[in-house]
Amino acid sequence: MIELPKINLKEIAKQGNVLTGGHRLCAGCGAGSTARQVMLAAKALGDPYMVVNATGCLEVATTIYPYTAWKAPWLHNAFENAAATASGALAAFEAMMRKGQMEKKHINMIVFGGDGGTYDIGIQSLSGAIERGHDFLYVCYNNGAYMNTGIQRSSGTPQCASTTTSPAGKVIPGKIKWQKPLAEIMAAHDIPVFTASPAYYKDLMQKVQAGLKHDGPAFLLVDSPCNLGQRYAPDISMETTKMAIDTCFFPLYATYKDEWILTSRSKTIAMKPDLKKPVEEYLKMQGRFKHLFKPENRHVIEEMQKKIDEDWENLLKLERVTHE
């Protein structure tokens, strides 16, 4: 059964940040907000914690040699092996505890990876570590492209978004394929899976604690706004991710063992369907979708709306089955 723990935000905020200021993430970057919230929630549990960070925006901008913005044991690895690195570290801790070389304690392992290092390059390592049952929380901050290497498309890039390797033009209106259903793929591994947004920080931190309290692997997919790659003013980052939820482009939910629960804003929209907004409200906020508003491409928005409506209705059906 899925249970999101109650948290006291005021008490959590008093602890002090694990990801500090002084990093070089872009103004308006969702990854920084996400990492800060994740680590505050982890710190509040009171157990020792460690961070493994795949190559990506978060890693590059928070640990430019010889500086670091992390107040935590932190390990960088390549794009493809974050989950394997966490697996090895956990195995090493267990071995040292058996030998009496370190005190026996539960260690909260948190792994961060972007969409490139999770949807694409790192999915084999992640799937393998989950199958082996290693006890970690994997946090994928999906900003919709390989942002730190030139804004190339990934399989987490939304359909029809314009990137440097899927440019919108006369032949194709941006990326052709719909994004990979990564949360559902992870749920098929029979582990707790959560979706979250840094705009709804209480919901996100509850899910972090639920994932860390679970005995075994858990997965958190976060909609991580990126003003550089998604092309909008940096002061509206939280507004863009809120609109992703309000249009049901990125619903918030928790799932485990065929149980599906809508959470936070998505739960409100399910109870009050009139609050659901058309997807073009989300698309028009971002330059990466600007081409879709040309007369010859309006049909693409209609097709996207149909797909989003179908996915939302399927999610509502899954939740209804859960509560029957």
Side-chain angles (χ1 to χ4, degrees):
M1 182 176 179
I2 302 170
E3 290 187 12
L4 298 184
K6 293 181 180 180
I7 60 174
N8 187 321
L9 291 174
K10 289 184 178 179
E11 290 302 314
I12 287 177
K14 292 177 183 178
Q15 302 177 113
N17 289 308
V18 177
L19 176 63
T20 68
H23 57 71
R24 302 180 193 184
L25 290 164
C26 299
C29 174
S33 298
T34 295
R36 185 163 289 175
Q37 292 171 26
V38 168
M39 296 312 301
L40 278 170
K43 187 177 181 181
L45 291 175
D47 294 322
Y49 46 81
M50 177 178 174
V51 176
V52 172
N53 202 163
T55 298
C57 292
L58 183 63
E59 170 269 321
V60 168
T62 60
T63 58
I64 296 176
Y65 183 81
Y67 306 106
T68 179
W70 293 92
K71 289 184 176 180
W74 182 94
L75 185 59
H76 166 230
N77 47 257
F79 270 113
E80 66 270 18
N81 63 333
T85 300
S87 303
L90 288 167
F93 291 147
E94 291 172 3
M96 288 188 287
M97 289 177 192
R98 285 197 306 270
K99 295 176 181 179
Q101 295 174 349
M102 66 180 290
E103 186 179 349
K104 289 185 178 181
K105 285 186 176 181
H106 173 72
I107 297 171
N108 282 324
M109 179 67 72
I110 301 103
V111 186
F112 287 102
D115 48 300
T118 309
Y119 278 75
D120 297 337
I121 309 173
I123 193 168
Q124 177 180 345
S125 170
L126 175 57
S127 179
I130 290 172
E131 187 273 333
R132 294 190 301 273
H134 294 286
D135 189 7
F136 60 78
L137 173 66
Y138 191 106
V139 181
C140 174
Y141 62 97
N142 179 17
N143 53 29
Y146 290 83
M147 297 304 186
N148 80 302
T149 58
I151 316 176
Q152 300 93 343
R153 61 91 84 189
S154 76
S155 59
T157 303
Q159 185 182 35
C160 296
S162 182
T163 73
T164 54
T165 52
S166 62
K170 294 180 179 179
V171 179
I172 59 170
K175 182 180 176 236
I176 298 173
K177 298 290 186 180
W178 197 260
Q179 57 265 44
K180 186 186 292 182
L182 185 62
E184 291 90 334
I185 292 170
M186 291 297 108
H189 289 69
D190 202 21
I191 64 170
V193 172
F194 312 92
T195 62
S197 163
Y200 293 95
Y201 42 87
K202 183 177 181 180
D203 179 75
L204 186 150
M205 288 193 277
Q206 286 178 307
K207 290 169 177 174
V208 169
Q209 291 198 352
L212 289 173
K213 287 180 178 180
H214 175 71
D215 184 17
F219 181 80
L220 178 68
L221 178 63
V222 181
D223 182 36
S224 183
C226 171
N227 58 288
L228 180 66
Q230 297 173 10
R231 288 186 279 162
Y232 59 80
D235 60 343
I236 64 166
S237 282
M238 293 303 117
E239 282 71 14
T240 62
T241 186
K242 284 181 179 179
M243 189 59 73
I245 297 160
D246 285 352
T247 58
C248 299
F249 183 87
F250 187 85
L252 301 177
Y253 60 83
T255 180
Y256 181 46
K257 292 187 179 295
D258 296 324
E259 181 182 7
W260 296 76
I261 299 175
L262 291 170
T263 64
S264 190
R265 180 65 173 171
S266 290
K267 184 176 181 180
T268 302
I269 294 170
M271 293 187 294
K272 299 178 180 179
D274 289 345
L275 294 176
K276 183 172 182 264
K277 297 179 180 179
V279 70
E280 67 179 82
E281 294 298 311
Y282 172 66
L283 302 177
K284 71 183 182 182
M285 299 176 77
Q286 304 163 68
R288 61 176 175 167
F289 296 116
K290 183 179 179 180
H291 55 285
L292 296 182
F293 291 89
K294 295 179 179 179
E296 63 268 27
N297 289 332
R298 289 291 306 192
H299 71 281
V300 178
I301 297 178
E302 294 172 5
E303 292 168 5
M304 292 178 72
Q305 185 67 66
K306 183 179 178 182
K307 167 68 172 167
I308 290 166
D309 290 344
E310 290 174 353
D311 288 349
W312 176 248
E313 288 302 317
N314 287 336
L315 184 56
L316 292 178
K317 288 177 183 177
L318 288 169
E319 199 203 30
R320 282 196 290 271
V321 169
T322 293
H323 295 287
E324 285 180 356

